[in-house]
Amino acid sequence: MLELRPGCECCDRDLPPDTDQAMICSFECTFCRDCALVRLDGLCPNCGGDLVRRPSRPTRFLVRSPASTQRVFKPLGCA
């Protein structure tokens, strides 16, 4: 199950579990669409993998399988 991390690793923008603005790599590194496409050219700065749209989790499943609350913020890795 995906963690659905709550924020962008580059700019710390909030990314709620139902947003269509979150992008992830295969390791679930999480970025907002703006950072992923403009700053990172669609590649994860941590592993070099492709950044793709993160699927959303339907609200009815968030009670049983909540999104992560642990933020990862690495602005220096996104320069």
Side-chain angles (χ1 to χ4, degrees), residues 5 11 15 18 20 24 27 33 40-41 53 58-59 76 79:
R5 295 178 186 167
C11 69
L15 296 170
D18 62 347
D20 65 352
I24 60 171
F27 290 98
R33 180 176 297 282
L40 304 173
D41 293 324
R53 184 182 172 274
T59 305
L76 297 178

Side-chain angles (χ1 to χ4, degrees), residues 45-58:
N46 302 315
C47 70
D50 294 332
L51 293 171
V52 298
R53 184 182 172 274
R54 180 182 75 188
S56 60
R57 184 168 301 153

Side-chain angles (χ1 to χ4, degrees), residues 2-74:
L2 292 174
E3 287 184 8
L4 300 180
R5 295 178 186 167
C8 176
E9 288 187 25
C10 285
C11 69
D12 206 32
R13 175 181 169 186
D14 288 337
L15 296 170
D18 62 347
T19 186
D20 65 352
Q21 296 299 304
M23 307 281 285
I24 60 171
C25 71
S26 64
F27 290 98
E28 298 185 53
C29 300
T30 304
F31 305 92
C32 70
R33 180 176 297 282
D34 291 338
C35 287
L37 299 179
V38 176
R39 295 175 75 178
L40 304 173
D41 293 324
L43 296 176
C44 177
N46 302 315
C47 70
D50 294 332
L51 293 171
V52 298
R53 184 182 172 274
R54 180 182 75 188
S56 60
R57 184 168 301 153
T59 305
R60 68 183 184 274
F61 293 112
L62 287 171
V63 172
R64 186 175 66 228
S65 301
S68 175
T69 58
Q70 183 176 10
R71 294 184 89 86
V72 177
F73 183 47
K74 302 180 193 177

